[in-house]
Amino acid sequence: PYCEGKELKVCLINSFEELEVGSFGILEPKVSLRQEQGRQLDPSKLEVIFVPGLGFDERGYRLGWGGGYYDRFLSGLPGRGVRIGLAFQ
Protein backbone atom coordinates (compact mmCIF):
# COMPACT_ATOMS: atom_id res chain seq x y z
CA PRO A 1 0.00 0.00 0.00
CA TYR A 2 0.87 3.69 -0.15
CA CYS A 3 -0.60 6.85 1.32
CA GLU A 4 -2.50 9.32 -0.81
CA GLY A 5 -3.86 12.12 1.32
CA LYS A 6 -5.50 10.38 4.29
CA GLU A 7 -6.19 7.20 2.30
CA LEU A 8 -4.33 3.96 1.69
CA LYS A 9 -4.18 2.85 -1.93
CA VAL A 10 -2.99 -0.53 -3.21
CA CYS A 11 -0.46 -0.95 -6.01
CA LEU A 12 1.00 -4.10 -7.56
CA ILE A 13 4.77 -4.47 -7.27
CA ASN A 14 6.98 -7.15 -8.78
CA SER A 15 10.14 -6.67 -6.71
CA PHE A 16 11.51 -4.81 -3.72
CA GLU A 17 13.45 -2.60 -6.14
CA GLU A 18 10.12 -0.98 -7.04
CA LEU A 19 9.83 0.47 -3.52
CA GLU A 20 11.05 3.75 -2.04
CA VAL A 21 10.81 5.37 1.39
CA GLY A 22 7.45 7.14 1.69
CA SER A 23 5.11 8.33 4.42
CA PHE A 24 6.22 7.64 7.99
CA GLY A 25 9.53 6.26 6.63
CA ILE A 26 7.75 3.14 5.33
CA LEU A 27 8.62 1.53 1.99
CA GLU A 28 5.96 2.26 -0.64
CA PRO A 29 5.65 1.66 -4.39
CA LYS A 30 7.61 4.27 -6.34
CA VAL A 31 5.51 7.25 -7.37
CA SER A 32 6.33 6.60 -11.04
CA LEU A 33 4.77 3.09 -10.82
CA ARG A 34 1.50 4.06 -9.17
CA GLN A 35 -0.09 5.40 -12.34
CA GLU A 36 1.07 2.65 -14.69
CA GLN A 37 -1.62 0.60 -16.42
CA GLY A 38 -2.56 -2.47 -14.38
CA ARG A 39 -0.72 -1.40 -11.21
CA GLN A 40 -3.72 -0.05 -9.28
CA LEU A 41 -5.54 -2.84 -7.43
CA ASP A 42 -9.15 -2.93 -6.26
CA PRO A 43 -8.89 -3.44 -2.46
CA SER A 44 -12.16 -5.38 -2.38
CA LYS A 45 -10.48 -8.12 -4.47
CA LEU A 46 -7.65 -8.71 -1.96
CA GLU A 47 -7.66 -12.20 -0.46
CA VAL A 48 -5.05 -11.62 2.27
CA ILE A 49 -4.19 -8.33 4.00
CA PHE A 50 -1.23 -7.96 6.36
CA VAL A 51 -1.91 -5.23 8.90
CA PRO A 52 0.86 -3.71 11.04
CA GLY A 53 0.16 -2.74 14.63
CA LEU A 54 1.75 -2.10 17.98
CA GLY A 55 -0.63 -4.64 19.48
CA PHE A 56 -3.98 -6.36 18.99
CA ASP A 57 -6.72 -7.37 21.40
CA GLU A 58 -8.52 -10.72 21.46
CA ARG A 59 -11.15 -9.46 19.00
CA GLY A 60 -8.53 -8.28 16.51
CA TYR A 61 -8.76 -4.56 17.20
CA ARG A 62 -5.42 -2.91 16.61
CA LEU A 63 -3.32 -0.34 18.38
CA GLY A 64 -1.16 1.59 15.92
CA TRP A 65 0.80 4.81 15.84
CA GLY A 66 -0.07 6.21 12.44
CA GLY A 67 -2.99 8.39 11.44
CA GLY A 68 -5.71 5.72 11.29
CA TYR A 69 -4.89 4.83 7.67
CA TYR A 70 -5.34 1.08 8.10
CA ASP A 71 -8.46 1.53 10.23
CA ARG A 72 -10.15 3.58 7.49
CA PHE A 73 -8.88 1.20 4.80
CA LEU A 74 -10.18 -1.93 6.55
CA SER A 75 -13.55 -0.41 7.46
CA GLY A 76 -14.23 0.23 3.77
CA LEU A 77 -13.62 -3.39 2.73
CA PRO A 78 -16.16 -6.18 2.50
CA GLY A 79 -15.95 -8.79 5.28
CA ARG A 80 -14.34 -11.48 3.15
CA GLY A 81 -10.61 -11.96 2.93
CA VAL A 82 -8.11 -12.92 5.58
CA ARG A 83 -6.63 -10.16 7.72
CA ILE A 84 -3.38 -10.96 9.48
CA GLY A 85 -2.03 -8.64 12.16
CA LEU A 86 1.73 -8.22 12.38
CA ALA A 87 3.43 -6.88 15.51
CA PHE A 88 6.79 -7.13 17.18
CA GLN A 89 7.00 -9.64 20.03
Side-chain angles (χ1 to χ4, degrees):
Y2 64 93
C3 295
E4 188 173 278
K6 289 285 186 182
E7 246 182 281
L8 275 186
K9 301 282 185 169
V10 185
C11 179
L12 176 68
I13 62 165
N14 296 307
S15 71
F16 286 108
E17 286 75 38
E18 294 181 340
L19 300 174
E20 64 187 3
V21 176
S23 302
F24 299 99
I26 298 170
L27 291 175
E28 299 180 344
K30 291 181 179 180
V31 173
S32 60
L33 297 176
R34 298 175 189 177
Q35 302 307 317
E36 284 185 13
Q37 184 76 18
R39 294 283 188 151
Q40 290 292 322
L41 300 175
D42 178 355
S44 68
K45 306 263 190 236
L46 297 175
E47 296 178 11
V48 177
I49 302 168
F50 292 96
V51 182
L54 292 177
F56 299 88
D57 70 14
E58 292 174 353
R59 295 179 295 164
Y61 291 103
R62 63 184 290 278
L63 172 65
W65 51 271
Y69 293 87
Y70 276 93
D71 300 320
R72 284 189 296 278
F73 179 75
L74 294 171
S75 70
L77 295 178
R80 65 176 191 257
V82 177
R83 299 165 189 200
I84 300 171
L86 299 175
F88 288 108
Q89 186 178 14

